[in-house]
Amino acid sequence: SRFGEFGGQYVPESLMDCLTELEQGFEDARNDPKFWEEFRSYYPYMSRPSSLHRADRLTEHVRKTAEKGMGASIYLKREDLNHTGSHKINNAIGQALLAKRLGKTEIIAETGAGQHGVASATVCARFGMKCTVYMGSEDVRRQALNVFRMKLLGATVVAVEAGSRTLRDAVNEAMRKWVERLDTTHYIIGSAIGPHPFPTIVRTFQSVIGSETKEQMKALTGRLPDAVVACVGGGSNAAGMFHPFANDPSVRLLGVEAGGDGIDTDRHSATLAGGKPGVLHGVRTYILQNEDGQITDTHSVSAGLDYPGVGPELSGWKDNERAKFVAATDAEAFIGLRLLSELEGIIPALETSHAIFGAVELAKTMKEDENIVICLSGRGDKDVQSVAEELPKIGPKIGWDL
Ligand SMILES: C[C@@H](c1c[nH]c2ccccc12)[C@H](N)C(=O)O
């Protein structure tokens, strides 16, 4: 349950029973081939395995702007083509099957941007389980479309009025409610955060991303990729892409956080770049906090990365330097979004756009015979409206100015 000095269970006594039962149930399932057979039986529904292919024009763009002989080939792992439009379904299906195995009949979940809420509501509809999603009232207001989708999928959305009325308050409320209804209820947490065993559970289900990537790159290129890149909010898609490569030192791991208006401002969500170790939501990890230890308000143009904590496993990889973490600002994320849209005809989620910008910068520093894979964690349909107003500000069409 430890990732270096990070991880653990910093929770009230009343939560320990829940966590102990969950840990035993998860270990049981994880070691049972029948559980994984059942998980894979939903691959057609999830649209797994997700495809992986080369981004030819994005690679060409990098080579035009890099020095001679430089510019790694960029490949895309298409988690945006999964059912519900992101990697979130991997964790939701896995945890719902685990809940059923534990004899639970209802699910609770938290959400901020709404993606995890929608994924949880989706699997509960599929499995016939009652679903209650806790969501900060500020997020209910600004993510109305996803609230509508959750209700359409049969879930109940509870607006949380405490604190900043955003994601971190939704996590608190969901944990409080879980303690009250442990015997019938499982809490499907939306990212690789929270007290042990949650970060391990989420990373295990999301590892389908990295495991498939390893196989697909060996088939396509005959070897391991030289680097893999993922955006980092709570860290679920990054943990899932990185973990299968953690013991392959030749594979560089790059996480790209939300730099907002810049990490030298107080308006960003770059927890690993600008935070320090502390405790949040029952786990020791890097968090954005002021000198009194109060959690600071975060900002990102992408709601999915807008979280003041990060998974403890990523904090461990930062401290033992297995992974490198950088931050892309809102403006740089828009550049990543436009590059992929105009050069590959793929509109990525704003969260994912941070990883695209980071991967392009990394590719410029690598040789042409090297290969990078970007975890394309989500599609951008949800963002096109909010982006439309911003786009003119970031200058002319990128694709044509080469
Ligand atoms: C990424 C996902 C999410 C859901 N729960 C989270 C907990 C911590 C960090 C992120 C999340 C998203 N923000 C959402 O609200 O669904």
Side-chain angles (χ1 to χ4, degrees), residues 87-88 110-118 135 139 146 167-168 171 187-193 233-236 281 302-310 351:
H87 68 291
K88 295 246 162 265
E110 87 292 342
T111 202
Q115 296 114 297
H116 174 58
V118 166
M135 189 174 193
D139 287 329
N146 275 332
L167 176 55
R168 66 170 189 260
V171 177
Y187 171 26
I188 299 185
I189 204 162
S191 193
I193 63 154
S236 58
H281 295 143
S302 63
L305 303 184
D306 195 356
Y307 177 67
V310 70
E351 293 81 0

Side-chain angles (χ1 to χ4, degrees), residues 76-319:
L76 305 175
K77 178 61 174 163
R78 300 295 305 273
E79 294 298 303
D80 60 314
L81 295 178
N82 299 341
H83 183 37
T84 74
S86 83
H87 68 291
K88 295 246 162 265
I89 192 78
N90 306 328
N91 172 51
I93 288 272
Q95 287 209 48
L97 288 175
L98 180 59
K100 275 185 10 160
R101 186 183 169 99
L102 292 174
K104 309 297 178 188
T105 53
E106 51 174 293
I107 294 294
I108 57 176
E110 87 292 342
T111 202
Q115 296 114 297
H116 174 58
V118 166
S120 301
T122 298
V123 299
C124 288
R126 179 67 186 74
F127 293 144
M129 300 172 89
K130 183 171 176 298
C131 183
T132 306
V133 181
Y134 292 92
M135 189 174 193
S137 56
E138 170 59 12
D139 287 329
V140 168
R141 184 187 61 76
R142 60 186 174 174
Q143 308 285 343
L145 180 68
N146 275 332
V147 175
F148 181 66
R149 285 169 76 196
M150 286 183 253
K151 290 179 175 171
L152 208 54
L153 290 159
T156 304
V157 179
V158 174
V160 176
E161 297 297 348
S164 62
R165 301 178 302 132
T166 58
L167 176 55
R168 66 170 189 260
D169 314 292
V171 177
N172 291 332
E173 189 65 9
M175 282 187 180
R176 265 197 292 277
K177 289 293 175 195
W178 185 38
V179 177
E180 287 170 19
R181 305 204 289 249
L182 173 72
D183 51 340
T184 62
T185 302
H186 175 64
Y187 171 26
I188 299 185
I189 204 162
S191 193
I193 63 154
H196 177 70
F198 282 118
T200 301
I201 290 175
V202 175
R203 173 250 290 156
T204 301
F205 291 127
Q206 291 296 357
S207 292
V208 295
I209 302 172
S211 304
E212 287 174 10
T213 297
K214 189 177 272 195
E215 269 176 54
Q216 289 164 314
M217 284 302 281
K218 279 187 176 167
L220 275 178
T221 68
R223 60 191 176 82
L224 291 170
D226 300 288
V228 294
V229 184
C231 64
V232 176
S236 58
N237 89 93
M241 176 58 102
F242 292 0
H243 188 261
F245 293 105
N247 298 325
D248 298 309
S250 69
V251 181
R252 297 165 68 179
L253 310 178
L254 178 67
V256 187
E257 292 192 293
D261 293 348
I263 58 173
D264 50 336
T265 74
D266 57 1
R267 282 176 51 79
H268 67 80
S269 300
T271 307
L272 289 162
K276 56 182 190 300
V279 174
L280 174 66
H281 295 143
V283 67
R284 181 166 173 72
T285 187
Y286 271 85
I287 47 179
L288 287 172
Q289 53 191 318
N290 64 22
E291 50 283 352
D292 307 328
Q294 288 307 305
I295 304 295
T296 52
D297 280 350
T298 51
H299 160 76
S300 168
V301 69
S302 63
L305 303 184
D306 195 356
Y307 177 67
V310 70
E313 189 155 29
L314 283 89
S315 296
W317 282 327
K318 171 188 167 70
D319 270 17

